[in-house]
Amino acid sequence: MAEFEHLSLSTTGNILTITINRESRLNALNQATLSELKETIQSIYDDKDIRGVILTGAGEKAFVAGADISEFKELNEMNARKFSEEGQEIFALIENCHTPVIAVVNGFALGGGCELAMACHMRVVTSDAKFGQPEVNLGIIPGYGGTQRLTHLIGKGRAFEYMMTGDMIDAETAESWGLANHVAENKTSAIELAMDILQKIEKKAPLAIDFVVDCVNAVYNPGENGYQTEANAFSRCCGTEDFKEGAAAFLEKRPANFKGE
Ligand code: COA
């Protein structure tokens, strides 16, 4: 497994845990961390042995407290588009990854941290988690997809309010609005819950999981007809060995032995 300066990686069975490891900066995303994250996510695309990913922040206080503000002095109108597009590209890699990715949000998920959590397929959060897009306090707006994903997840009126005020959304509210899937008491129980979800998914037919990712993401892809994506994916599923195995196992009253074929 690759060694990184700002990420630690560990595996439990087929589940990879990626921990953003800059606790003294509340795990703020500097460019070096983003590039390590990109390399790690790209490697997951080619690794069929990894069947689920947990993404979390080191320590108890923060998932990620945003992009690293100390690097902002380099930003100007000329280079900021590239800064934004490169971040968007990495977060889209997470969203489109066929391996399920759960953000375990331990504490603050602000700015780029909120955007990173929203790019993951699911969010399991600690009871002290706080989401927010406070960029207006710095004279900017979210640039890693937050204007789009927050609006999709919590709706237009709420997205306007929280992006315009910079206020934070607590865990309970996040859960009631669909921004968080589950609230757990603390980081240990949040990781256990995320692990349970991923281990459950691991038993399902891998190709069906791939297609769920493509079809759900199609909803948010303007210009793509999600119903056609679904019908195509459904027919592809029906051509797989795993479909034959799943149906046979049900009729024979035994657990299915899926192979991803
Ligand atoms: N970028 C760089 N450094 C950051 C950071 C960020 N996004 N967020 C926190 N840090 C650093 C702080 O500068 C501080 O460093 P120091 O110990 O050298 O002073 C350290 O992390 C601890 O943060 P601190 O602000 O002292 O903790 P707190 O408990 O008082 O406040 C927050 C926590 C999250 C409310 C506060 O750190 C904050 O508002 N961070 C910025 C959030 C933000 O605007 N994110 C969007 C960026 S686009």
Side-chain angles (χ1 to χ4, degrees):
M1 197 172 298
E3 294 272 329
F4 292 109
E5 188 183 348
H6 303 301
L7 302 182
S8 15
L9 308 183
S10 64
T11 48
T12 306
N14 294 323
I15 312 292
L16 173 69
T17 299
I18 306 171
T19 305
I20 298 171
N21 211 349
R22 298 188 76 219
E23 201 176 339
S24 66
R25 308 247 67 83
L26 302 189
N27 305 318
L29 296 174
N30 59 359
Q31 290 298 303
T33 307
L34 277 176
S35 113
E36 291 179 2
L37 190 57
K38 182 177 182 182
E39 192 181 327
T40 305
I41 302 295
Q42 279 172 329
S43 73
I44 294 166
Y45 272 68
D46 301 323
D47 190 339
K48 294 290 160 219
D49 289 336
I50 298 175
R51 301 291 303 282
V53 177
I54 290 175
L55 178 60
T56 192
E60 302 292 330
K61 190 167 169 182
F63 170 69
V64 168
D68 190 321
I69 299 169
S70 68
E71 292 185 343
F72 280 15
K73 53 186 180 301
E74 314 296 332
L75 283 181
N76 57 48
E77 197 171 348
M78 304 299 286
N79 62 23
R81 171 182 285 274
K82 187 163 171 266
F83 175 94
S84 171
E85 286 176 348
E86 284 178 354
Q88 287 182 3
E89 188 200 328
I90 297 166
F91 288 12
L93 272 178
I94 297 173
E95 187 166 53
N96 293 319
C97 185
H98 281 165
T99 307
V101 183
I102 300 185
V104 167
V105 176
N106 51 314
F108 293 111
L110 302 177
C114 185
E115 293 172 296
L116 178 60
M118 293 190 296
C120 297
H121 300 124
M122 291 164 252
R123 286 149 292 284
V124 175
V125 315
T126 55
S127 54
D128 64 348
K130 288 200 168 46
F131 290 86
Q133 298 288 172
E135 288 87 346
V136 282
N137 295 327
L138 306 171
I140 52 173
I141 63 166
Y144 291 162
T147 59
Q148 307 302 294
R149 291 195 181 92
L150 187 66
T151 309
H152 288 314
L153 281 163
I154 69 173
K156 194 172 173 183
R158 290 169 181 153
F160 274 134
E161 181 179 339
Y162 285 87
M163 272 184 268
M164 289 179 175
T165 61
D167 284 351
M168 295 187 204
I169 302 169
D170 64 33
E172 205 179 304
T173 309
E175 187 186 33
S176 71
W177 290 353
L179 179 55
N181 291 61
H182 302 281
V183 180
E185 201 180 327
N186 54 36
K187 189 175 173 186
T188 306
S189 49
I191 288 180
E192 276 169 15
L193 179 51
M195 201 63 88
D196 286 350
I197 295 170
L198 291 171
Q199 283 168 348
K200 200 181 279 182
I201 296 170
E202 209 185 327
K203 298 195 179 74
K204 313 299 175 191
L207 292 168
I209 301 301
D210 294 358
F211 287 127
V212 169
V213 172
D214 293 344
C215 292
V216 173
N217 283 336
V219 174
Y220 303 101
N221 188 11
E224 181 171 355
N225 182 330
Y227 290 96
Q228 276 179 13
T229 304
E230 181 186 273
N232 289 338
F234 182 80
S235 68
R236 296 265 306 277
C237 286
C238 291
T240 64
E241 288 302 314
D242 279 350
F243 168 55
K244 288 183 201 150
E245 164 63 9
F250 177 81
L251 295 172
E252 292 161 22
K253 301 190 188 304
R254 60 171 174 84
N257 179 19
F258 293 121
K259 298 202 162 65
E261 294 163 1

